Amino acid sequence: MGKWIVIVQWGDYQHELNRGAESTKDQALEELRAAAQTYLPNPGIQEKWRRVYRFADRESYFVVIKGATTKWRCTFRLAELVSDSTDPAVAGKAQAEDTAADMAAEPQDRVPPGFG
């Protein structure tokens, strides 16, 4: 369980939506889904319509918002904190999780019966 955040990006601008206390991946996914439906990159936008596209990974969205005079295109993604120079334990925890995941994903050799 690391610290997960939602990042929204439009143009050259990026913004973290959930800062602060530790959040689980499930909590961040919930915030991600809500943000894709409600977030406005500029509080003055008079929204005419919104199109929300979900990427195949099901953990990121592309949103097109039509305002009164312009269209905004935003990408919403999840990110996990894996390194923090102020807290070296974060990197150790992330490396341990990556190692465990890599070991589980490795192919397992199996000798068929009668060959051994």
Side-chain angles (χ1 to χ4, degrees):
M1 175 176 110
K3 178 183 177 186
W4 289 82
I5 62 169
V6 175
I7 296 175
V8 60
Q9 180 176 8
W10 67 93
D12 292 333
Y13 184 76
Q14 289 187 28
H15 180 69
E16 292 178 24
L17 293 185
N18 54 337
R19 296 180 296 274
E22 296 231 344
S23 59
T24 65
K25 186 175 183 181
D26 289 338
Q27 291 168 331
L29 272 169
E30 188 175 315
E31 184 168 348
L32 172 75
R33 290 181 189 115
Q37 300 297 329
T38 61
Y39 183 79
L40 293 174
N42 182 332
I45 294 175
Q46 295 176 353
E47 185 176 325
K48 302 292 184 191
W49 52 261
R50 174 184 301 248
R51 290 187 182 141
V52 179
Y53 300 88
R54 183 175 53 217
F55 288 98
D57 66 4
R58 304 184 71 81
E59 295 181 356
S60 50
Y61 290 84
F62 177 70
V63 179
V64 180
I65 303 165
K66 172 67 170 116
T69 60
T70 189
K71 281 186 189 174
W72 295 79
R73 293 164 182 85
C74 307
T75 304
F76 296 83
R77 297 178 291 166
L78 287 186
E80 180 184 19
L81 179 65
V82 296
S83 180
D84 184 348
S85 64
T86 63
D87 186 1
V90 170
K93 190 174 7 172
Q95 287 174 349
E97 289 173 1
D98 286 348
T99 300
D102 288 345
M103 289 179 68
E106 287 181 1
Q108 302 295 316
D109 291 334
R110 187 174 77 79
V111 178
F115 293 91

